[in-house]
Amino acid sequence: MDNFTNPFVWMLRFRHRRGYGVHSPFAYEFLTNVVYEKGEFYQYSTLDRELALKQRFRIRQCLHLMFRLSNHLQPGTAFVDEPTGQAARYVMAGCHKCRLTDKPDDEELDLCLLASPNDQAACRIREGGVLVVDNLRQHHAWFASLPAVLTFDLWDMGIAFFDSRYNKQHYIVNFT
């Protein structure tokens, strides 16, 4: 969602931008170097060329975040709800060694991208793994009940880290 389509949400979350108020070094580094990274990555232009014109402005920001997240985490195994969708292409471009699986019950997952709640997939995330949920406003109760340690509420999307090294914390992020 861009700032011009919903300025009210942006104003409500204004004080939660760019990592302000985040005291955890890991969370601050994640926010500044992954979520808010503004640099042009090597694959953006190639991947964006395949997006439909109407999608270029609406979901490009989220797809770029999936690319940066995959590039940052370098996951071994990832599960994407829609393996033929755009998100799978961006995840694979961010980490070439990543292996996409179409069944979450096959093995433990390093990265899991869900469009809707899936308890089976959420249970397969290994220690140190990450879960990303789209349409967070519709699935907020399910997301809050996850046994994740670090969670980030990006309004349209939620990111949960399953890493017991960190203290339990929930962050609201101005990513609209």
Side-chain angles (χ1 to χ4, degrees):
M1 180 177 300
D2 61 34
N3 299 340
F4 300 112
T5 58
N6 202 341
F8 183 67
V9 171
W10 186 84
M11 299 254 316
L12 280 175
R13 291 173 165 245
F14 181 73
R15 67 184 194 99
H16 300 287
R17 71 193 187 291
R18 306 269 183 230
Y20 295 138
V22 176
H23 300 289
S24 164
F26 171 78
Y28 184 80
E29 185 269 334
F30 175 73
L31 287 174
T32 56
N33 295 335
V34 178
V35 175
Y36 288 120
E37 175 63 42
K38 296 294 182 194
E40 281 294 316
F41 278 82
Y42 56 94
Q43 288 285 340
Y44 282 175
S45 60
T46 306
L47 293 167
D48 290 349
R49 216 175 296 128
E50 296 178 22
L51 290 175
L53 185 60
K54 66 180 180 179
Q55 290 179 324
R56 286 188 185 166
F57 302 107
R58 298 293 295 157
I59 65 169
R60 183 176 57 187
Q61 182 181 19
C62 294
L63 290 172
H64 284 188
L65 177 59
M66 292 304 101
F67 175 87
R68 292 190 306 268
L69 183 64
S70 177
N71 190 11
H72 178 74
L73 296 173
Q74 292 296 304
T77 306
F79 172 73
V80 181
D81 275 28
E82 302 164 9
T84 59
Q86 298 293 343
R89 289 185 328 103
Y90 279 78
V91 167
M92 292 304 294
C95 179
H96 298 293
K97 69 176 181 122
C98 181
R99 188 176 60 79
L100 282 179
T101 181
D102 56 348
K103 298 177 190 164
D105 57 347
D106 285 348
E107 58 189 284
E108 288 189 324
L109 303 170
D110 297 312
L111 177 63
C112 184
L113 298 156
L114 300 175
S116 60
N118 184 336
D119 290 324
Q120 183 181 7
C123 291
R124 301 301 303 167
I125 298 172
R126 69 167 184 82
E127 173 70 17
V130 176
L131 174 110
V132 179
V133 178
D134 197 15
N135 300 319
L136 184 62
R137 294 296 111 216
Q138 297 172 4
H139 313 299
H140 200 276
W142 180 82
F143 183 73
S145 70
L146 289 173
V149 176
L150 280 173
T151 55
F152 295 90
D153 177 350
L154 282 70
W155 184 258
D156 285 338
M157 168 183 334
I159 301 175
F161 284 84
F162 293 79
D163 197 336
S164 61
R165 294 179 296 167
Y166 306 114
N167 294 327
K168 190 162 182 75
Q169 188 70 35
H170 176 73
Y171 296 104
I172 296 173
V173 180
N174 189 12
F175 185 69
T176 56

